[in-house]
Structure formats: C-alpha cells, structure tokens
C-alpha cells in the first residue's frame, strides 16, 4: 500500500472547529517555561536566567543557566512593580546577584550557596529596577526608585537613586523628570548615561539621553556636568544606551527617517552620528513597555556590536562595526523570530531569550567566530524538554495586505490537524479568531503559542492583526493611530479578516469571525462591538482586562500610561470629553448585541476591575443582556495571568464561549 493511500485512510473529516485535538488547556501551560530575562555577570561571565513558574503561583525564579540550579529559594520572587510592567529586576556583578523581590519591594543580594540578604530599607512603598553596579565602588548601585508613599497615579515620584548595599541606605542621584530608565556606567565609572522622559510622552515618542560625570563620595555618588546627548520631547526618541568604551556611547534613536537605528556619541567631541553609512528602514529595538530589553550586545572590547532588528515582523541579526561608519553585516539565516534581550558573554559571545515558530525556544548562547563571524548556537536551557504534538503546529504566514496603497500587516495561522483533511460540510470555510495585541504600540510576533495551536488544531483559523499603531514597522506606521484609537485599529481588524474571507484568498468564513484581545486589545475588542458603524461584523468576542471607559481610565490607570491616550485620542479628557465618550464602550452598551466574554484580574493596576465590571453590568441591563455577556474574575491576578490554574480556566472559558456562540 502506498504512503499517500495510507495517509488518506488515516485522515477524516468533521466540521471546522469540531476537530478532536490532543492539545488540551492543561498541555498549553504544562511542560513549557516562560523566561522573563537573561543576564550575565560581566566579571565572571556566568549566565543566569529568570524563569516564570506558573505551577508555583507564577513566581519568577533566578536560575544559574549552566547548572540549572535555583539561585533564590521560595518564596523569593524576582520581579519589580516599577512602571507596573516591570523588567530589569536583577543584575549580577563579581559573583553577587542583586534582585528586586516583589513580595516586599526590597532589593536583595545573594551569593552562591548563601541566603538572600536585604540591602535596601524596609519600605514597601519604594520600588526598584534597572540596576547599574559602579565598576570601582561595587557596593554602590544606581537604580530607578519609584516612590509610592502617596500611592495615586498622579503622585508617584520616579528618580534615579544610589543604593549603598553596605549601609543598606538609599541616596538621591538624579531627580526632576517624570521617568528614568537605563542608567549605565562607563568602564572606569567616571561617567554615567541615562534616559529620561516626561508626560505626556511615552519613551518611544519623545525622550532624552544624558551623560554626566560621576564623583565618588564617602557613602554615595554625585553627578556633575550633565550634558544632553540626543532626543527631543514629543518628536525624537532615544533608547538603550550602552558604553563601548570610556568615551564612546552607543544608543538607538528614530532621529533618522523614523526608524530606530544605532547612533554613536563621543564624550570627547560631544558629537553623535548614525552608526551606519545610511539609514536602514528597520527598527533596531522595540518600544520599551518593560525595562532592560536591550536589542544589542557589545563585543570584542567595544569594537563590534551584535544587533537584532525587525524585518517583516521577525528579527534579523546584524554585526555592527563600531570603529567606522559602514553598513552593518547581516548574519545569514538567523533562526529565531524573536531574540531579546542580548547580553554579552566574554569577547565574542552573547546570550539571549530565543523564541521560535516551530518549536521550543530557550536561553541561547551565540558565538561569532572567524573573520566571517560565523555564528554557532548553543541552547543553555530549553523552554520545553520535548516537543509533543509537533505535527499539529500551524506555521505563521505573514501577509502584507494593501488598501489604497497603504500596507496592513497580519499573521495568518491555518487550521492544521494531521488526522483531518478538511470539513465534512461541503464548501465550509473555517471560522476565524482575530487576535488583537495590547499596547496599543505593541507587536504580535511570529512565535509558537500553544494557545493558538489549541484552536487551529480544532479547525479554527487564527489571524493576528498588527494594525496601524503597531511597533516594528517604523514611526510613521505607529503614528497611524495618533488621534485615531478606536477607529484605525478596529477598521484594520475588520478589513484584514474581510480581505482574507474574500476572493481570491477565500481562507476563512467571513460570517463566523470572532475578535479577542487583552488590555489595549481588549479596548479594541469592546470598541468593535459598540462605537463603530458596523457593530455586528464580529459574531463573538472576548475582552481580557480591556478598557471600557476612557474617562475614568485616565484617572485610575498607573503613572506610566497616565497620559498615553492623550495622543491616541487627540487631546486631554478636559479638552475633548466628547471624543472620550464617543470611543468608550461603556457609553454605547446598548449597541453591543454580539456575545461578549469578559475576563479580568482582581488586582490589575493597569486596567482596574471596575473597567470590566461596569461594562458587564451595563450590558446586563439591556434586553437579553444576561444571555449576551459572561464575566469571570481571577483572584490574585494582575494585568495578565501568571498562575497555571487561571491560565487553564481562562482558555477553557474562551473555547467554550466560541463553541456556543460562534460555531
């Protein structure tokens, strides 16, 4: 019997969405490890990573990547609440690991074989992140300090501070801006650079880069001769500063033709310039919602840098010569669609968190060898010990759709299950779930997500829409959303699914399209059902911690995003209250006739539970509303799910909703 005949007999047909699949809600969570960060001790070259353990209440654990041994015991949790999204909660230097413990917000120091010891005062109102160890006085750390003593979004104070780990005392260093990030010392510790920005800017809209001289005092540090290097409020962003040597600073900026490209600044000449011989229309780094996501590593004593940039929604790897102005050299066939952050290890290697489209990622070490800088890759810690159900993986298909000559970027996942060769219903097209990413200045990446495979293996199509406003395609594409949030994003989601449903593509059933998203994606989902001309285009919806009332949101969200939507909507709530109401689902609940599932975390500080509860109550007050809306709140969860049981329940609730309401 031929192989094709055997395959034909082994497959069967069933309606799309009703295929049987071995991918369960439990298996999407179990067996895989999400990594929060990777970091390297610059003195010992030891690599560490932070892994999130969903089965242990979502605890973030620091692990020695070489030995796979935990560095911190339970219940220590290496996370920070700075800017709520956190990041950069740890650093290693000279055999000591420092980390922020989110349970009490104190910074701890731990040496191998020892217990963690607190090195900051006992004050839970203080939050710390983004550490830099002084190269000479190693007991002095510079850190972001977020002071929540008066804990409202309008009264949180952000500064750069000095932590004296011997005295367990904190001293001010730089004050006055609304936000700070990325403090970095030059190798001799005589200079420090940092990024700062002010409301209403987000750091990728307008931010400033400064360099100052550092003076050692008996117990602390002081800065003098502060000098503005680059960036401009409202118009030009800077990010990711790092020293190549004592007088050469590398950073990224969108100052040249609207794409984040590397720049080099000399403290001798006080001049900065593009690192390349011409601008490259790719983003070398994404918007910094979380801290410490460095897109490059400096190698060979400051002569080279390994950089990742985004092309067609995937990362490409470049080697940049820092000693001359030239074109970067692309490393061929970089196998990871996402690689971040990059951390130097020795002279010619760097570690990073790698994510793949067709299998597990992990903590990876890349070494560049020979004159051609040929790369080799070593997985230090895989994200999964095995790849079960590999044959069920639906590969991402990036598509650029055009309307009136303007691009719209999407990623399509077709139904895939080796046991089925189609539908038992003649001419049936698969139902489609449209995924809307958060941010909204975010990016839906082309990586293996078992939650998506859970659906595609059951006969659903999945469509991620990188709507106007998404990152990774340059500043012009980000600014498509300026003044148009709730309009452009919704229309792009409708257009993307409509184009895929229409000939010549005809990939999905345009009459069975659901929309779902979290955070800003939840806002877009709610807006699609309530404030646009066609509120019935989508046939089912799920909002995960989405914004329903923009007027209250701008008063109650966290400091980092407090002024974010002023640009997204075109003014403040006082200036244009009618626009805030017109774009808020809460004031148009009578238009919501599409079945809506709402999922929310009980301790979410970014989108408070009231945003979910009020829209749910409004819908229930409408005729038939009780049947159209379902609400689940997850106790102890913030802005997203960290606990295994809640991840599993959330997926089950959502699948059941589509099974009942979409199919």
């Amino acid at each position: 019997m031929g192989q094709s005949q055997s395959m034909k007999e082994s497959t069967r047909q069933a309606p799309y969405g009703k295929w049987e699949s071995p991918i369960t809600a439990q298996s999407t969570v179990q067996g895989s490890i999400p990594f929060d960060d990777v970091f390297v001790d610059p003195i010992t070259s030891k690599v560490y990573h932070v892994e999130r353990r969903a089965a242990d209440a979502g605890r973030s654990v620091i692990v020695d990547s070489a030995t796979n041994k935990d560095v911190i015991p339970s219940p220590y949790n290496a996370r920070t609440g700075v800017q709520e999204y956190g990041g950069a909660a740890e650093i290693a230097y000279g055999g000591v690991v420092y980390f922020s413990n989110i349970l009490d917000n104190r910074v701890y120091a731990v040496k191998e074989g020892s217990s963690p010891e607190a090195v900051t005062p006992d004050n839970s109102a203080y939050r710390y992140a983004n550490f830099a160890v002084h190269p000479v006085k190693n007991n002095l750390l510079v850190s972001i300090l977020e002071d929540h003593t008066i804990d409202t979004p309008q009264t949180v104070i952000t500064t750069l501070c000095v932590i004296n780990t011997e005295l367990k005392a904190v001293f001010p260093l730089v004050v006055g801006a609304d936000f700070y990030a990325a403090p970095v010392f030059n190798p001799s510790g005589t200079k420090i650079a940092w990024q700062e920005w002010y409301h209403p800017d987000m750091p990728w809209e307008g931010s400033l880069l400064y360099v100052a001289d550092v003076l050692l005092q008996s117990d602390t540090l002081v800065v003098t001769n502060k000098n503005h290097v680059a960036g401009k409020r409202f118009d030009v962003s800077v990010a990711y500063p790092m020293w190549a040597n004592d007088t050469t600073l590398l950073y990224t900026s969108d100052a040249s033709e609207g794409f984040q490209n590397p720049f080099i600044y000399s403290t001798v000449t006080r001049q900065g310039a593009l690192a390349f011989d011409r601008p490259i229309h790719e983003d070398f780094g994404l918007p910094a919602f979380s801290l410490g996501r460095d897109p490059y590593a400096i190698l060979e004593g400051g002569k080279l840098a390994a950089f990742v940039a985004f092309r067609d929604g995937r990362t490409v790897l470049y080697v940049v010569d820092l000693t001359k102005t030239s074109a970067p050299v692309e490393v061929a066939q970089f196998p990871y669609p996402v690689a971040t952050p990059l951390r130097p290890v020795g002279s010619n290697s760097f570690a990073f968190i790698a994510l793949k489209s067709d299998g597990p990622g992990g903590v990876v070490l890349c070494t560049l060898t020979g004159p051609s800088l040929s790369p080799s890759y070593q997985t230090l810690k895989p994200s999964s010990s095995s790849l079960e159900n590999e044959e069920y993986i639906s590969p991402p298909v990036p598509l650029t759709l055009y309307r009136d000559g303007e691009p719209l970027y999407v990623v399509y996942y077709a139904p895939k299950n080796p046991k089925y060769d189609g539908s038992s219903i003649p001419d049936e097209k698969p139902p489609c779930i449209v995924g809307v990413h958060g941010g909204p200045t975010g990016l839906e990446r082309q990586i293996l997500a078992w939650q998506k495979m859970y659906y595609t293996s059951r006969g659903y199509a999945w469509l991620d829409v990188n709507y106007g406003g998404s990152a990774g395609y340059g500043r012009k594409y980000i600014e498509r959303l300026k003044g148009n949030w709730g309009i452009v994003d919704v229309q792009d989601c409708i257009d993307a699914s409509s184009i895929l449903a229409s000939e010549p593509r005809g990939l999905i059933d345009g009459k069975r399209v659901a929309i779902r998203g979290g955070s800003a994606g939840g806002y877009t989902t709610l807006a699609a059902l309530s404030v646009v001309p066609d509120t019935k285009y989508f046939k089912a919806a799920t909002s995960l911690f989405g914004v329903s009332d923009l007027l209250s949101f701008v008063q109650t969200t966290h400091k980092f995003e407090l002024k974010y939507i002023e640009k997204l909507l075109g003014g403040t709530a006082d200036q244009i209250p009618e626009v805030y109401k017109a774009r808020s689902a809460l004031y148009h609940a009578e238009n919501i006739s599409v079945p809506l599932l709402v999922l929310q975390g009980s301790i979410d500080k970014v989108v408070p539970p009231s945003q979910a509860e009020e829209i749910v109550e409004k819908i229930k007050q409408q005729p038939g509303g009780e049947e159209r809306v379902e609400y689940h709140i997850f106790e102890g969860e913030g802005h997203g799910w960290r606990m295994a049981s809640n991840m599993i329940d959330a997926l089950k609730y959502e699948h059941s909703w589509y099974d009942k309401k979409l199919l």
Side-chain angles (χ1 to χ4, degrees):
M1 182 182 293
Q3 184 176 6
S4 59
Q5 180 66 26
S6 175
M7 178 61 70
K8 185 176 180 180
E9 289 182 3
S10 66
T11 57
R12 56 185 188 268
Q13 293 181 331
Y16 285 117
K18 295 293 187 180
W19 296 354
E20 295 179 359
S21 170
I23 301 173
T24 64
Q26 288 81 359
S27 70
T28 64
V29 176
Q30 298 166 353
S32 61
I33 305 168
F35 295 105
D36 289 338
D37 204 354
V38 61
F39 60 106
V40 179
D41 188 324
I43 306 302
T44 67
S45 294
K46 179 174 281 192
V47 180
Y48 303 88
H49 65 267
V50 182
E51 56 186 61
R52 190 185 310 172
R53 295 181 181 165
D56 190 6
R59 189 168 70 96
S60 293
V61 184
I62 298 173
V63 180
D64 182 326
S65 302
T67 65
N68 200 32
K69 291 182 178 178
D70 291 359
V71 175
I72 59 172
S74 182
Y76 291 102
N77 192 341
R79 282 177 59 208
T80 175
V82 170
Q83 295 179 182
E84 296 300 336
Y85 295 119
E90 66 292 310
I91 194 171
Y93 197 94
V96 182
V97 173
Y98 302 94
F99 68 96
S100 178
N101 178 41
I102 201 166
L103 299 180
D104 59 8
N105 288 334
R106 300 180 79 179
V107 177
Y108 287 77
V110 60
K111 296 181 180 179
E112 189 171 345
S114 302
S115 298
E117 179 183 353
V119 296
T120 54
D122 185 5
N123 184 347
S124 62
Y126 284 4
R127 303 179 184 180
Y128 305 90
N130 226 174
F131 307 104
V133 179
H134 192 272
V136 178
K137 295 273 285 186
N138 298 164
N139 65 306
L140 300 180
L141 277 62
V142 170
S143 168
I144 298 172
L145 169 58
E146 202 176 75
D147 183 352
H148 288 252
T149 301
I150 306 175
D151 197 14
T152 73
Q154 296 80 7
T155 54
V156 169
I157 299 171
T158 308
T159 60
L160 287 180
C161 74
V162 177
I163 300 171
N164 186 317
T165 61
E166 292 177 353
L167 298 180
K168 301 183 180 179
V170 176
F171 302 90
L173 183 70
V174 184
V175 302
D178 288 328
F179 300 95
Y180 294 94
V184 283
F185 289 108
N186 68 351
S188 67
T190 57
K191 294 184 183 295
I192 188 171
W194 70 87
Q195 176 194 20
E196 66 181 49
W197 67 98
Y198 298 78
H199 279 142
D201 277 329
M202 298 301 285
W204 56 85
E205 294 174 330
S207 49
L208 308 171
L209 179 61
Y210 284 96
V211 168
D213 293 333
V214 176
L215 298 180
L216 290 170
Q217 290 189 342
S218 58
D219 296 328
T220 186
L221 306 170
V222 295
V223 296
T224 62
N225 301 322
K226 177 181 171 182
N227 181 51
H228 174 232
V229 170
K232 183 181 179 183
R233 292 183 67 176
F234 304 107
D235 296 324
V236 178
S237 71
V238 290
Y240 309 114
M242 203 175 297
W243 294 92
N245 54 50
D246 261 357
T247 60
T248 305
L249 184 69
L250 188 60
Y251 63 95
T252 69
S253 175
D254 61 5
S256 185
E257 301 187 5
F259 286 83
Q260 285 286 336
N261 278 198
F263 282 72
I264 297 176
Y265 174 83
S266 168
T267 61
V268 177
T269 64
R270 292 198 171 189
Q271 297 295 315
L274 186 68
F276 305 147
D277 55 359
R278 65 188 184 282
I280 292 181
H281 286 188
E282 294 171 0
D283 279 325
F284 288 67
L286 291 177
F289 275 98
S290 58
L291 298 160
R293 313 309 290 173
D294 299 327
Y296 64 97
I298 293 177
L299 307 174
E300 291 196 4
K303 296 178 182 178
L304 299 177
F307 251 103
V308 285
F310 278 84
R311 181 190 304 156
D312 298 328
R314 299 171 63 93
T315 52
V316 292
L317 179 64
Y318 287 105
V319 176
V320 179
D321 189 333
L322 303 180
T323 65
K324 60 183 179 180
T325 302
S326 59
V329 177
E330 183 177 348
V331 176
Q333 298 180 325
F334 188 59
Y336 306 104
V338 171
T340 183
L342 272 57
R343 311 291 195 203
V345 183
S347 176
N348 63 340
S349 300
F350 57 95
F352 56 94
I353 303 297
L355 300 174
K356 299 182 70 175
S357 302
D358 56 357
V363 180
V364 172
L365 182 71
C366 175
T367 301
L368 303 174
T369 56
S372 62
L373 300 173
S374 176
S376 61
Y377 305 102
Q378 175 190 359
T379 300
L380 303 179
K381 177 70 178 288
S383 60
S384 177
S385 57
S386 64
L387 181 57
E388 296 182 2
N389 302 317
E390 181 178 7
E391 65 272 25
Y392 290 85
I393 295 175
S394 178
V397 180
L399 301 170
T400 303
L401 311 176
Y402 286 92
R403 304 148 306 165
D404 301 323
E406 292 296 321
L408 171 59
Y409 305 103
V410 305
V411 185
Y412 175 70
Y413 297 84
K416 184 181 179 184
N417 185 318
K419 295 182 179 178
Y420 293 86
D421 61 2
S423 173
S424 58
I425 300 174
D427 301 321
E428 186 192 26
K429 299 287 179 66
C432 180
I433 300 170
V434 171
V436 193
H437 65 70
T441 318
L443 172 69
E444 192 59 45
R445 302 169 298 178
Q446 299 164 38
I447 58 176
L448 176 60
W450 284 109
Q451 292 87 346
K452 298 175 187 178
M453 303 302 104
Y454 176 92
Y455 287 103
T456 56
S457 66
R458 285 168 168 77
Y460 288 86
W462 186 287
L463 178 64
D464 288 322
V465 182
N466 284 316
Y467 49 84
S470 299
Y473 305 99
R475 185 163 184 142
K476 180 181 176 182
Y477 196 74
I478 287 175
E479 291 187 343
R480 276 193 62 215
L481 206 58
K482 197 173 183 178
N484 292 307
W485 195 29
I487 299 174
V488 163
D489 47 327
V490 175
Q491 194 59 51
D492 282 356
C493 290
I494 292 173
D495 288 350
S497 52
S498 179
I499 291 170
L500 261 61
S502 305
E503 297 301 332
R505 288 185 171 88
L507 297 174
I508 63 174
D509 183 349
K511 295 181 179 179
R512 292 189 297 168
V513 181
I515 185 170
R516 57 95 67 200
S519 192
Y523 165 76
T524 298
T525 296
L526 294 172
L529 311 185
S530 59
V531 304
V532 293
D534 185 1
T535 59
K536 296 181 175 62
Y537 175 82
F538 297 103
K539 299 304 184 285
T542 301
S543 170
L544 303 97
F545 37 92
V547 178
S548 67
D549 180 8
L550 295 168
L551 283 171
S552 65
F553 178 73
V554 296
Q555 298 297 321
T556 58
T557 191
H558 59 141
K559 179 187 177 184
F560 179 57
E561 293 180 307
L562 188 62
K563 305 291 184 180
Y564 189 10
I565 64 175
E566 289 180 13
K567 294 181 186 178
L568 294 171
L569 295 182
T572 68
D574 290 336
Q575 291 168 336
I576 50 170
E578 69 283 357
V579 172
Y580 281 65
K581 278 193 172 184
R583 308 259 186 100
S584 296
L586 186 67
Y587 304 101
H588 306 278
E590 70 279 2
N591 295 335
I592 299 179
S593 59
V594 172
L596 172 65
L597 174 67
V598 179
L599 307 177
Q600 177 69 42
S602 68
I603 57 172
D604 193 339
K605 300 295 185 184
V606 179
V607 179
S610 59
Q611 291 284 331
E613 291 158 359
E614 290 177 8
I615 187 65
V616 168
E617 189 57 35
K618 271 290 187 74
I619 295 171
K620 286 183 175 179
Q621 292 172 4
Q622 307 301 317
E626 292 277 357
E627 298 299 317
R628 290 199 302 273
V629 67
E630 185 175 303
Y631 178 52
H632 298 277
I633 189 162
F634 296 96
E635 293 299 328
E637 294 283 18
H639 201 60
W641 325 134
R642 298 183 69 90
M643 303 178 203
S645 59
N646 292 334
M647 294 177 183
I648 292 167
D649 286 346
L651 182 53
K652 287 181 176 179
Y653 291 142
E654 192 170 356
H655 178 213
S656 174
W657 192 247
Y658 301 145
D659 196 55
K660 291 184 294 186
K661 304 296 185 180
L662 182 63
L663 301 187

